Amino acid sequence: MKVCPLCNKLDSIDYYCIICHGVMVDKGRVEEYIDPYGPQLPIMDNEDGCLHLYECSICNKLERKRIDKVNM
C-alpha cells in the first residue's frame, strides 16, 4: 500500500521560494481548499502522488507540489 509521507506525518520535505528564497510551509492537501467541506472529502489523488499546497513564510507565494507516495 502506498501512502503520502506528509499526510501521514512520516516525513517532512523542505522547499524554498523561487522569488525570495524563504522557507515554504506545507499547508496540506490541495483538496482541503476547494470548498468549506474539503477536509472531510475523500482524498482525490492518484496511486503514486499527492498534491500539496506550500506557502512562502516571507512573501506568501503559493505553489503546488506533487509529493511521491511511499510503500508501507
Side-chain angles (χ1 to χ4, degrees), residues 4-15 24 26 52 54 67:
C4 174
L6 300 183
C7 290
N8 291 284
K9 309 280 190 245
L10 300 173
D11 199 0
S12 63
I13 301 172
D14 294 328
Y15 290 107
M24 302 290 285
D26 180 18
H52 279 251
Y54 276 79
I67 309 299

Side-chain angles (χ1 to χ4, degrees), residues 18-72:
I18 60 172
I19 295 173
C20 70
H21 306 289
V23 175
M24 302 290 285
V25 178
D26 180 18
K27 294 296 188 176
R29 296 180 295 120
V30 170
E31 289 90 2
E32 294 176 13
Y33 297 92
I34 293 174
D35 65 41
Y37 296 102
Q40 288 83 27
L41 293 174
I43 295 174
M44 307 276 264
D45 60 0
N46 66 38
E47 190 173 313
D48 295 321
C50 187
L51 197 57
H52 279 251
L53 186 65
Y54 276 79
E55 181 178 22
C56 177
S57 59
I58 296 174
C59 72
N60 295 30
K61 177 181 176 19
L62 296 173
E63 287 187 33
R64 293 177 183 179
K65 300 285 187 182
R66 184 182 176 276
I67 309 299
D68 291 330
K69 290 186 175 181
V70 296
N71 286 318
M72 286 296 289

